[in-house]
Amino acid sequence: MALMSAPVNSDRPFLNRRLAAFGTTIFAEMSALAARTGSINLGQGFPDTDGPAQIAEAASRAVLTGRGNQYPPGPGVPELRTAIAAHQQRFYGLTHDPDTEVLVTAGATEAIAATLLALLEPGDEAIALEPYYDSYAACIAMAGAVRVPVTLRPHAGAFVLDLDELRAAVTPRTRLLLLNTPHNPTGTVLTPAELTAIAELAVERDLLVVTDEVYEHLVFEGAHTPLAGLPGMRERTVTISSAGKTFSFTGWKVGWVTGTAELVTAVRSAKQFLTYVASGPFQYAVAEALRLPDTYFTAFREDLRAKRDLLCTGLADAGFGVFRPAGTYFITADIRPLGESDGIAFCRSLPERAGVVAIPNAVFYDHTEAGTPYVRFAFCKRTEVLMDATERLRKAFAY
Ligand code: PMP
Ligand code: GLN
């Protein structure tokens, strides 16, 4: 993986070999660049306005009334586990026992780490869709396993999974498929037909599936289909999500895992030695958030749909090739129509040229050449910020 500040570790002489390829995450690096240069930060995916005041008040009430200020129970507070199970039932018709089939984690990040550390043996192969979220590669490495990337290819304005390539990537050593839909950074949403084919493959080859669905409420075309609901999948799927994206409180770090009791027990075994527990008072607030009426979820999605459209238009006007995302709050753009070819160099120079920060997609690839001309812009920002950013990009590139 070609993290920008990665390779050989003269500055990290004590870091072990499993992690030697991993430098500072691109998100920290690019947010620091934005702060240093006073640029508009469309790099790291965090909203520039907080989530509902009512939910912030619930968090503050929890702190002041002593709910969650001491270690909460290892699996998460019962109120939140019940609310997570009710959310899965309400939106997807999936039934989970809150006591045995739900686990609260320190964000989706810990859920991913605990799941991979729990399920993978050293030497096992884990297939991930490339470009992939950066912590996948690091956690597979920490587990001593081998990542096998399957590349999403640009086709007709979207990044598409080649199911034959996925099938061909499965070997006798493959232990699990690590999916992410809606997909960061491409904005691809796997279709029900693709998910069905993946489910059939998992059953046929007896694979576990870990599915990262943190953008489940940001699907702009069609509806989110949780893989765990497909035939044969319940017993082999670990589903991961998080409050950070859906409720715009990324700093609270409340995530969760759902699955069968056997799978959740395995993940909990690893999780208890990572953080043990986290985010006590916030767990109560997220329980309340998950019970917000449907209107909250619809308004959230529609707000971001409008922002997606605004930024897509602005980027196209500035001369980028635009992959209109079907989900997430990210747009992948092609810099070649601007006469550019190297996304990493482009992102490094963008603050100076336009006063804007973006993320180079190449860092999310093993086959870096497949990601070289692409950069990612986040649109979870205020409308006026997006308008300012698109005007800056237009001035820098379109005139
Ligand atoms: N998975 C994906 C695909 C993400 O984009 C992110 C974060 N932004 C995470 C996991 C991590 O989520 P959290 O902040 O809840 O740890
Ligand atoms: N998930 C967010 C993104 O993709 C950032 C999370 C992080 O900084 N680790 O931009």
Side-chain angles (χ1 to χ4, degrees):
M1 181 173 206
L3 286 172
M4 273 172 84
S5 57
V8 184
N9 283 305
S10 53
D11 60 332
R12 287 183 288 273
F14 297 107
L15 188 61
N16 69 38
R17 269 181 291 140
R18 288 192 305 286
L19 288 175
F22 299 92
T24 304
T25 91
I26 190 68
F27 305 114
E29 186 172 346
M30 297 314 279
S31 281
L33 180 64
R36 205 164 57 240
T37 58
S39 298
I40 297 178
N41 189 356
L42 303 188
Q44 194 175 26
F46 63 90
D48 61 358
T49 35
D50 289 346
Q54 163 195 355
I55 302 306
E57 278 157 19
S60 116
R61 221 172 26 249
V63 171
L64 293 172
T65 57
R67 300 178 90 206
N69 289 334
Q70 310 305 330
Y71 298 131
V77 302
E79 287 84 346
L80 178 53
R81 282 185 278 113
T82 305
I84 292 165
H87 170 276
Q88 296 305 95
Q89 186 75 53
R90 169 179 157 199
F91 286 99
Y92 311 122
L94 297 175
T95 305
H96 290 286
D97 178 343
D99 290 332
T100 57
E101 299 184 325
V102 178
L103 172 68
V104 177
T105 56
T109 304
E110 189 195 34
I112 293 160
T115 301
L116 295 175
L117 289 169
L119 300 182
L120 289 168
E121 295 287 357
D124 279 353
E125 291 175 3
I127 295 178
L129 305 184
E130 174 186 73
Y132 40 70
Y133 184 57
D134 66 348
S135 84
Y136 299 173
C139 290
I140 293 169
M142 285 192 268
V146 179
R147 85 181 165 267
V148 176
V150 171
T151 310
L152 301 180
R153 312 255 176 219
H155 175 73
F159 284 81
V160 182
L161 174 63
D162 180 335
L163 287 164
D164 290 332
E165 225 176 290
L166 179 64
R167 279 186 206 101
V170 178
T171 77
R173 304 192 67 124
T174 309
R175 176 66 168 149
L176 60 82
L177 305 178
L178 176 48
L179 300 180
N180 171 216
T181 182
H183 182 262
N184 177 8
T186 63
T188 291
V189 174
L190 295 174
T191 63
E194 287 168 331
L195 291 168
T196 300
I198 291 168
E200 285 167 3
L201 177 66
V203 171
E204 181 194 320
R205 304 297 296 265
D206 195 21
L207 306 176
L208 296 173
V209 182
V210 179
T211 167
D212 175 347
E213 303 184 359
V214 299
Y215 300 101
E216 61 187 308
H217 288 289
L218 286 175
V219 175
F220 307 116
E221 325 290 348
H224 176 66
T225 306
L227 193 74
L230 297 184
M233 294 314 287
R234 182 177 159 79
E235 59 268 36
R236 61 181 71 248
T237 303
V238 174
T239 303
I240 292 171
S241 195
S242 158
K245 313 296 167 185
T246 300
F247 302 110
S248 299
F249 288 115
T250 58
W252 288 8
K253 297 299 288 189
V254 177
W256 52 86
V257 164
T258 52
T260 61
E262 290 79 9
L263 285 166
V264 167
T265 299
V267 177
R268 193 171 55 235
S269 302
K271 183 262 184 301
Q272 65 187 337
F273 298 117
L274 295 175
T275 55
Y276 178 50
V277 291
S279 311
F282 295 126
Q283 292 193 25
Y284 291 97
V286 171
E288 198 167 318
L290 285 165
R291 295 188 186 284
L292 285 168
D294 289 359
T295 46
Y296 167 78
F297 296 88
T298 310
F300 172 66
R301 186 182 64 235
E302 293 312 310
D303 177 49
L304 280 150
R305 182 199 302 281
K307 290 174 171 169
R308 171 194 69 161
D309 293 347
L310 193 162
L311 188 57
C312 280
T313 304
L315 290 172
D317 287 351
F320 290 86
V322 173
F323 292 85
R324 188 182 204 74
T328 75
Y329 44 49
F330 303 112
I331 296 170
T332 285
D334 187 344
I335 58 173
R336 284 171 296 187
L338 303 175
E340 304 277 337
S341 56
D342 177 353
I344 291 181
F346 181 82
C347 286
R348 284 209 169 111
S349 69
L350 198 55
E352 197 180 308
R353 293 166 78 184
V356 173
V357 160
I359 299 279
N361 286 24
V363 304
F364 304 128
Y365 285 81
D366 282 298
H367 304 100
T368 45
E369 71 290 350
T372 304
Y374 304 116
V375 301
R376 189 196 82 175
F377 293 91
F379 56 85
C380 46
K381 308 291 172 181
R382 281 168 292 137
T383 301
E384 61 269 28
V385 172
L386 294 174
M387 288 172 71
D388 187 1
T390 52
E391 189 48 32
R392 290 179 188 205
L393 292 167
R394 243 193 306 267
K395 279 204 182 109
F397 299 109
Y399 302 131

